[in-house]
Amino acid sequence: MTKQGVYVIKLVLSDLDNTLLPFGEPVVCEQTLQAIRELRSAGIRFAPATGRPLNDLQYFFKHDLSALDCALMCNGLLLRIDGKTVFERCFDHEDLVRIAKLVEKYPGVGLLLSDEDPQPWIIGIGDVVNWQMQHEQVFPHGYRVVNEVPRFACNKAALTCDASLADLQALHQELSETFPQFEFFNSYTDWFDVSPAGWTKADGIKILASKLGLSLDEIMVFGDGVNDIEMFDAAVHSVAVHNSVSEVHARARYHIGAAADHSVAAAFCELADAARDQRLPAFMQSA
């Protein structure tokens, strides 16, 4: 906080799906890209904070690499500063093999793994094509169905599912009991992100803060879903969009409009203008 009582925000992180990118829109719009440029011009770094890997982000941000100069990806298992990887945590290959084997008995469920190739692998799903595999926003580059888990340094693992084909409650219970070293959280409809037990986006934020020499009160986060809860608890300045789940809404310090109205982009511009004038933006004054 400055002597004038104004908080100095130096890094803004935002969840992607249904926060920065409204559901149903194929890519981040020009209004949002310009808002990110406004942040940068005001001396505020921007970073997406998402479960998605880099190749997905490049697509959604229309290959505007300036918007991805800093990024928290794979729910904090992969971090990027100044266009370079500064932290990476990978899954053990044998654990992934065992997960793929388990999901084979659940129709329409596959283990998704991503590397630098735009098309992720899907293992264990057999010949079934679930509804997500037909959705461009879920798989913007398509996918590759294979029978065996490939060997590579993997920091993105998830389960693509279809509740009309399999009992997802039973799946989650069996996964949690069989693999206590992991957490399987339902971040979106018929989708489970996989993370090491106890690891969340908040861990990634703390590492980014340390590497950038920032305190947590110099960081602002935007989000909507259950995989944003821990980063809302960690951050001093948390902002929920109107369409956020109740748990996120309750934890947020500030509240703005819905993702569908591009409210995050508007908040970015408001924050940039306020930083230049050394004042609080309106959405922070209402807290």
Side-chain angles (χ1 to χ4, degrees), residues 143-218:
Y143 51 82
R144 296 168 287 175
V145 175
V146 295
N147 295 322
E148 296 183 358
V149 176
R151 285 190 176 273
F152 68 100
C154 176
N155 41 50
K156 172 59 183 180
L159 297 172
T160 174
C161 310
D162 191 329
S164 69
L165 301 174
D167 184 342
L168 300 191
Q169 184 174 354
L171 169 66
H172 185 267
Q173 181 175 343
E174 184 172 4
L175 285 167
S176 299
E177 292 174 353
T178 307
F179 303 100
Q181 69 271 40
F182 296 119
E183 291 182 7
F184 303 87
F185 52 97
N186 186 200
S187 50
Y188 304 103
T189 303
D190 293 358
W191 184 277
F192 292 99
D193 276 320
V194 185
S195 288
W199 186 272
T200 69
K201 289 182 182 179
D203 295 284
I205 288 175
K206 291 172 184 177
I207 295 171
L208 278 180
S210 176
K211 290 185 177 295
L212 290 170
L214 301 178
S215 60
L216 291 177
D217 64 359
E218 295 175 304

Side-chain angles (χ1 to χ4, degrees), residues 30 133 191 281:
E30 183 57 34
M133 296 164 71
W191 184 277

